[in-house]
Amino acid sequence: MFEGTCFIKPNVPFDRKNTDTCYAPMFRRKFTLPAFQKAELRFCALGFGHVSINGKRIDSEVFGTDESVYHKTVWYRREDVTEFLREGENQLYILCGNGFYNEMIPTVWFFEQARWRDLPKCIAELEIDGEVVLRTDNRWKCSVDGPIVYNQIRGGEHYDARKEGPFEEM
């Protein structure tokens, strides 16, 4: 599982001391499928993540690895996504947030000093009828200029509706 698949993150500098820039990267990949019977998505976000396929959230939960000790173990989800995909062109969209992975606010637990801290990132594989047909790699489009302009697990989220727009135009 996840063999040949890599974590992806935005191509922007990471500054451990900068507490003003709290990116919520958006990743997108378009792909085409032949007729199929079953589809499964395996997904992990370091931080938090929302996944949409063809404009529909695949469930109401936020995917995250908040219980992880990131330099030792991370958890991933497996979801049956058959109902969200169709024969022909499809689009997979992942929105990531900082969560406990990139906590910047000083606390008694010192997470702001954790050695694993980095920009939010994710890894995903889409399996169709038992064969991996899509995986995270350098062909995914990424933007850090979306409507979530700040997000921290203990500091909340700042949302700028003026930046809303179709991700397809990225």
Side-chain angles (χ1 to χ4, degrees):
M1 223 168 305
F2 294 116
E3 187 174 325
T5 305
C6 60
F7 277 94
I8 56 175
K9 68 178 184 176
N11 187 20
V12 295
F14 177 66
D15 180 357
R16 295 176 69 81
K17 295 180 172 127
N18 183 350
T19 58
D20 294 329
T21 305
C22 296
Y23 296 115
M26 302 176 296
F27 301 96
R28 177 180 61 87
R29 179 78 194 278
K30 289 184 178 180
F31 56 98
T32 303
L33 292 176
F36 64 92
Q37 297 294 314
K38 181 163 176 55
E40 180 180 86
L41 180 69
R42 293 183 289 269
F43 172 81
C44 174
L46 299 186
F48 288 120
H50 293 283
V51 178
S52 296
I53 297 176
N54 296 324
K56 296 181 182 177
R57 290 254 321 253
I58 65 169
D59 77 7
S60 60
E61 293 181 41
V62 173
F63 295 137
T65 53
D66 55 326
E67 299 169 6
S68 294
V69 179
Y70 293 99
H71 65 285
K72 293 181 181 180
T73 305
V74 294
W75 303 95
Y76 72 96
R77 298 273 308 257
R78 295 171 79 125
E79 293 288 332
D80 182 338
V81 294
T82 307
E83 68 182 274
F84 297 93
L85 295 166
R86 58 184 171 251
E87 185 178 345
E89 189 171 287
N90 291 272
Q91 179 173 263
L92 181 59
Y93 168 83
I94 301 170
L95 170 66
C96 291
N98 287 294
F100 287 106
Y101 182 65
N102 186 25
E103 186 167 353
M104 300 175 198
I105 297 170
T107 66
V108 297
W109 302 281
F110 302 106
F111 285 133
E112 76 282 0
Q113 297 174 22
R115 65 181 173 184
W116 61 71
R117 277 194 54 222
D118 196 0
L119 297 169
K121 58 182 85 169
C122 64
I123 190 169
E125 286 183 341
L126 178 64
E127 186 175 289
I128 303 293
D129 295 332
E131 180 183 341
V132 175
V133 299
L134 181 71
R135 52 179 35 112
T136 47
D137 59 23
N138 63 0
R139 294 177 288 175
W140 285 62
K141 292 190 179 244
C142 177
S143 175
V144 293
D145 194 30
I148 299 173
V149 296
Y150 178 89
N151 71 103
Q152 273 295 295
I153 193 75
R154 299 183 200 291
E157 176 180 285
H158 300 175
Y159 190 90
D160 185 345
R162 296 171 298 182
K163 291 186 164 203
E164 283 183 352
F167 189 52
E168 294 80 14
E169 294 174 7
M170 230 179 53

